[in-house]
Amino acid sequence: LYSLLPERVGSAFSMESMAGILQVSPKSVAHWIETLETFYLIFRLAPWHRRIARAIRKEKKAYLFDSVAIQEPGPRFENQVALELLRAVSTWNDRGWGDFDLHYLRNKENEEVDFLISSKNTPFVLIETKLSDDSLSKSLLKFQSLLGVPGVQLVNRRGVYKTIGTGPLRTLVIDAPRWLSGLP
């Protein structure tokens, strides 16, 4: 199971489909996933679904604590951002700065934003990752206007910095190292 996860990073993880691939019961897969989480080999993000019509509610995404195991550059970059966001959210909670949680956002039309940080069960910021594309993600814009929160698009290319929009719904498009280095 663990050897199949690197190629599925960043995608919704279905216990049933994985059970079919491995020819075991979904209950066995669920148990193995819990074991991998217990030993800090993987972590999963639940989908955010409040105030989103036709949102995906069940399938969590799985990420690895060992990004090196991921061969494809896009999923590896998303995994590395997920690790940094998980670390930041954990730090904020440990320091008593609030009740933060990390999710992803996806609807049944396959429109998706990679990450949503919530504060006290309320959307706080949306974060999208792109390897090199600095043109604004349509899904990020759509969900940003639905939820009324700021958006950030992280690009894995140095020198990217621009703000799009006005008022509270501005979207920052920025190179990932610059933005992530500012997280406590």
Side-chain angles (χ1 to χ4, degrees):
L1 173 64
Y2 185 74
S3 67
L4 296 175
L5 292 178
E7 62 194 43
R8 288 166 175 76
V9 162
S11 303
F13 184 83
S14 167
M15 300 280 185
E16 289 78 20
S17 80
M18 190 59 69
I21 292 168
L22 296 170
Q23 298 181 354
V24 297
S25 74
K27 196 171 186 177
S28 292
V29 172
H31 176 71
W32 294 342
I33 290 293
E34 287 175 20
T35 302
L36 293 173
E37 285 180 306
T38 300
F39 286 102
Y40 292 97
L41 294 170
I42 68 166
F43 62 98
R44 293 185 301 158
L45 300 183
W48 181 268
H49 56 83
R50 294 174 192 92
R51 296 180 22 207
I52 302 294
R54 299 178 47 78
I56 301 294
R57 293 174 180 257
K58 291 184 180 181
E59 293 180 343
K60 295 181 177 183
K61 282 184 168 185
Y63 292 95
L64 307 180
F65 279 101
D66 180 15
S67 294
V68 178
I70 305 164
Q71 298 301 310
E72 292 298 317
R76 181 186 295 169
F77 175 59
E78 183 178 333
N79 195 96
Q80 290 170 327
V81 170
L83 282 167
E84 282 301 309
L85 294 176
L86 180 69
R87 183 203 51 77
V89 164
S90 297
T91 299
W92 301 339
N93 290 332
D94 290 347
R95 291 183 178 174
W97 293 351
D99 181 18
F100 294 95
D101 207 354
L102 185 59
H103 301 272
Y104 78 97
L105 185 55
R106 185 179 194 179
N107 64 17
K108 292 180 181 173
E109 287 75 32
N110 288 328
E111 297 168 314
E112 180 178 322
V113 173
D114 294 324
F115 306 103
L116 178 146
I117 296 176
S118 65
S119 173
K120 296 180 184 171
N121 290 318
T122 303
F124 181 67
V125 65
L126 293 167
I127 302 159
E128 178 69 12
T129 61
K130 298 288 184 186
L131 263 181
S132 62
D133 186 7
D134 64 357
S135 59
L136 198 54
S137 162
K138 291 178 183 175
S139 296
L140 179 60
L141 278 176
K142 176 182 178 172
F143 289 125
Q144 185 179 8
S145 65
L146 280 171
L147 296 172
V149 296
V152 178
Q153 183 168 309
L154 300 178
V155 182
N156 193 22
R157 184 167 44 95
R158 295 241 181 232
V160 176
Y161 183 88
K162 59 184 173 181
T163 304
I164 300 170
T166 57
L169 291 183
R170 293 184 306 172
T171 305
L172 179 63
V173 180
I174 187 169
D175 62 274
R178 183 186 308 184
W179 193 80
L180 292 171
S181 67
L183 295 175

